[in-house]
Amino acid sequence: MVATETKHQTDLPNGGVAPTRAGRAVLSAAAVQSTALGAELWVAADTLITPLAREEAERRRITLRVGDVPAASAIPAAAPAPSPDASRTVAVGADHGGFELKTLLKAYLAELAYTVTDVGCFSPEAVDYPDLAYAVARLVADGRAAAGIIIDGAGIGSAMVANKVPGVRAALCYDLSSALNSREHNHANVLTLGASLIGPGLARQIVKTWLETPWGGGRHAKRVAKIMQVEQRFLKS
């Protein structure tokens, strides 16, 4: 056992802490991404913490603790709540083509007990989708929203824009299977929808499925980590 979040020890392979060829454990960004915002993550003293994992911990306000796991009596009953607590906050945005569907989905998100941060647009007048997609993606990347939903005519352009923002994994979903897969396998944190391609009933089902599907971790963790490593190569160039 090489790592733990607050009280719980994390075993391989689901924790995302993998042994190197020399037997030394490595804490990956994927493991940090699966840790709750504002929590503590304990790792063994000889664990190699990758630069990407440290960046992800800082972004998610996660405190990395190195050393032996303290006794249960020495650990607070609960990790301190992040400030502000974004765990139930969903950022939403749409261009004029998605304005009507956004309005409907905002009400639905409220029914599901989510807090909604609406970046616009606020009327059916023509606007440029890149501006709204960037605004949503930035809230997610900064940790001010746990997830984002962007709506335009087809959902394609908004996904392209959102995926330019470091830390964002945006997925265009058009049915329940793609919604489930994008969360469980790809750890998507932004959903894009095409208002001209799906109706409001299906849109609600996709949103609910997408938000309620947990990240699978396990064998998927190293692949998501590689997605983020590609991003880091260009950030460092």
Side-chain angles (χ1 to χ4, degrees):
M1 296 186 291
V2 294
T4 184
E5 176 189 348
T6 60
K7 293 184 181 179
H8 303 289
Q9 199 80 1
T10 302
D11 296 324
L12 297 174
N14 291 337
V17 183
T20 63
R21 290 182 180 178
R24 187 179 180 188
V26 177
L27 177 67
S28 69
V32 179
Q33 290 162 0
S34 62
T35 301
L37 290 168
E40 289 185 342
L41 183 63
W42 285 84
V43 295
D46 62 346
T47 300
L48 175 62
I49 304 174
T50 68
L52 191 58
R54 291 188 184 278
E55 292 174 10
E56 188 66 17
E58 182 178 355
R59 186 180 74 83
R60 295 178 63 82
R61 302 184 298 278
I62 292 168
T63 302
L64 296 178
R65 302 293 190 190
V66 179
D68 294 333
V69 180
S73 60
I75 303 176
S83 179
D85 185 1
S87 63
R88 295 287 295 180
T89 298
V90 179
V92 300
D95 69 357
H96 52 287
F99 170 71
E100 183 177 349
L101 182 56
K102 175 173 73 76
T103 301
L104 295 173
L105 290 177
K106 279 180 61 178
Y108 184 59
L109 288 167
E111 291 178 16
L112 297 177
Y114 287 96
T115 299
V116 177
T117 300
D118 188 352
V119 304
C121 62
F122 300 107
S123 78
E125 295 183 11
V127 293
D128 297 327
Y129 67 82
D131 299 332
L132 288 310
Y134 173 75
V136 170
R138 186 60 187 269
L139 287 173
V140 174
D142 289 348
R144 288 179 283 168
I149 300 174
I150 314 168
I151 312 159
D152 63 26
I156 299 170
S158 290
M160 291 179 175
V161 175
N163 279 319
K164 301 294 184 184
V165 178
V168 168
R169 293 175 299 279
L172 165 61
C173 297
Y174 42 83
D175 57 21
L176 302 186
S177 294
S178 57
L180 189 150
N181 187 281
S182 72
R183 290 286 269 185
E184 181 181 351
H185 292 200
N186 311 123
H187 205 5
N189 51 14
V190 170
L191 166 69
T192 70
L193 299 171
S196 65
L197 303 178
I198 59 174
L202 178 56
R204 283 192 291 266
Q205 293 179 55
I206 289 173
V207 164
K208 189 173 189 296
T209 298
W210 189 82
L211 288 171
E212 294 181 354
T213 298
W215 158 231
R219 72 184 190 277
H220 308 298
K222 69 176 182 179
R223 294 156 188 166
V224 172
K226 286 185 176 183
I227 293 174
M228 306 312 291
Q229 287 165 6
V230 171
E231 176 181 280
Q232 290 298 311
R233 290 185 193 131
F234 286 90
L235 291 175
K236 295 173 181 178
S237 61

